[in-house]
């Protein structure tokens, strides 16, 4: 047993906001603070959850909104129990590319499922686990689309949705931030990589100081 549980930090935002770049910078920062960072992602992070990810992102079959949200939470339940909880209990810091807020944004805002349903599933799948800190990278939707298209990889089921879908996702994320403004820090992702890095590092330092002195 370690005497202190690790910290759980999630990274959120629409597609093309630069999460991957920032997660790698945070990993280094967390190491410099003397913690062991474990970097993972959703949907995914375990062998089974990565298989669910392939199905839900790449399937050419029609997936109903309710099937989609259940797949996200099936992947999440396994991820929490196999990776997130054991690492937090061991004192490691878990840096997660997306978590339950993404379900509120994509399946709630995007697909129109009620928040209450997502809240209920979160209770079942994660026991209501919430990150200690969530970094929300916010960017104009058209700019996000432009950046996504610069990448070589083919667009997944969500990236190839219409702009209205992406606008609803952005609005849902902002609404979520507004009602959870202590946990979710809003970062303007149109800034330079270095400016964003510094804004996030300041929040991580606060979290570290509060818990470890
Ligand atoms: P992500 O790994 O950010 O995609 P990439 O890095 O390849 O651009 O996320 C995968 C997709 O899954 C993304 O479009 C958002 C979607 N998603 C949901 O719809 N609901 C969820 O609960 C999660 C975790 C992700």
């Amino acid at each position: 047993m370690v005497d202190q549980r690790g910290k759980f930090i999630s990274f959120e935002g629409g597609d093309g906001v630069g999460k991957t770049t920032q997660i790698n910078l945070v990993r280094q920062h967390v190491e410099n603070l003397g913690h062991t960072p474990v970097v993972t992602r959703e949907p995914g992070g375990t062998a089974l959850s990565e298989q669910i990810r392939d199905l839900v992102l790449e399937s050419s079959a029609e997936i109903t909104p309710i099937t989609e949200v259940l797949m996200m939470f099936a992947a999440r339940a396994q991820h929490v129990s196999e990776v997130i909880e054991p690492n937090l209990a061991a004192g490691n810091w878990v840096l997660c590319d997306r978590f339950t807020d993404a379900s509120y944004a994509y399946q709630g805002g995007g697909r129109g499922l009620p928040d209450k349903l997502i809240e209920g599933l979160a209770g079942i799948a994660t026991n209501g686990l919430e990150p200690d800190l969530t970094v929300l990278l916010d960017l104009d939707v058209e700019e996000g689309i432009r950046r996504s298209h610069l990448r070589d990889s083919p667009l997944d089921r969500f990236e190839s949705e219409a702009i209205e879908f992406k606008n609803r996702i952005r609005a849902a994320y902002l609404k979520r931030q507004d009602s959870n403004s202590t946990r979710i820090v809003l970062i303007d992702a149109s800034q330079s990589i270095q400016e964003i890095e510094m804004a996030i590092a300041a929040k991580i330092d606060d979290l570290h100081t509060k818990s470890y002195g």
Side-chain angles (χ1 to χ4, degrees):
M1 276 295 286
V2 287
D3 51 352
Q4 182 127 31
R5 198 173 145 84
K7 296 293 168 193
F8 179 25
I9 306 174
S10 64
F11 297 81
E12 300 282 356
D15 295 298
V17 296
K19 277 183 293 103
T20 310
T21 305
Q22 292 300 329
I23 291 170
N24 287 327
L25 293 166
V26 170
R27 178 209 296 258
Q28 189 59 56
H29 190 71
V30 166
E31 261 176 37
N32 294 344
L33 289 172
H35 305 293
T36 308
V38 173
V39 178
T40 187
R41 68 170 181 183
E42 291 211 341
T46 77
L48 178 69
S49 307
E50 289 289 334
Q51 288 182 314
I52 297 174
R53 178 189 178 94
D54 289 345
L55 278 175
V56 73
L57 294 188
E58 311 301 341
S59 174
S60 56
E62 280 282 319
I63 301 181
T64 73
I66 191 75
T67 307
E68 186 175 280
V69 78
L70 290 171
M71 290 172 87
M72 293 297 176
F73 275 102
R76 182 164 298 134
Q78 190 69 25
H79 190 214
V80 167
S81 121
E82 219 179 284
V83 174
I84 300 179
E85 273 299 348
N87 273 291
L88 293 175
N92 298 331
W93 282 37
V94 176
L95 311 181
C96 193
D97 186 343
R98 301 190 186 281
F99 194 62
T100 301
D101 293 309
S103 298
Y104 282 98
Y106 284 77
Q107 283 66 53
R111 304 288 188 216
L113 293 175
D115 282 0
K116 276 273 164 234
L117 182 145
I118 294 166
E119 197 183 320
L121 290 174
I124 296 167
T126 74
N127 207 10
L129 175 68
E130 280 202 337
D132 296 292
L133 174 71
T134 295
V135 175
L136 172 58
L137 294 170
D138 179 59
L139 185 66
D140 173 68
V141 168
E142 288 190 29
E143 175 61 13
I145 294 171
R146 197 186 64 76
R147 292 190 193 175
S148 296
H149 282 88
L150 292 178
R151 285 190 250 160
D152 280 342
S153 49
L155 300 182
D156 65 36
R157 274 181 63 248
F158 295 101
E159 287 165 333
S160 38
E161 284 283 348
I163 188 158
E164 294 75 27
F165 179 80
K166 297 177 183 188
N167 279 320
R168 291 199 301 276
I169 287 164
R170 185 183 185 199
Y173 266 134
L174 291 174
K175 186 175 136 216
R176 205 105 185 105
Q177 194 277 328
D178 195 50
S179 43
N180 297 270
S181 56
T182 308
R183 172 176 63 87
I184 308 180
V185 47
L186 179 63
I187 308 264
D188 173 3
S190 70
Q191 300 177 93
S192 71
I193 290 178
Q194 208 192 1
E195 284 169 319
I196 298 172
E197 177 187 3
M198 281 165 53
I200 300 175
K203 294 291 170 187
I204 306 261
D205 290 346
D206 284 351
L207 187 62
H208 169 81
T209 310
K210 254 193 262 150
S211 311
Y212 302 81

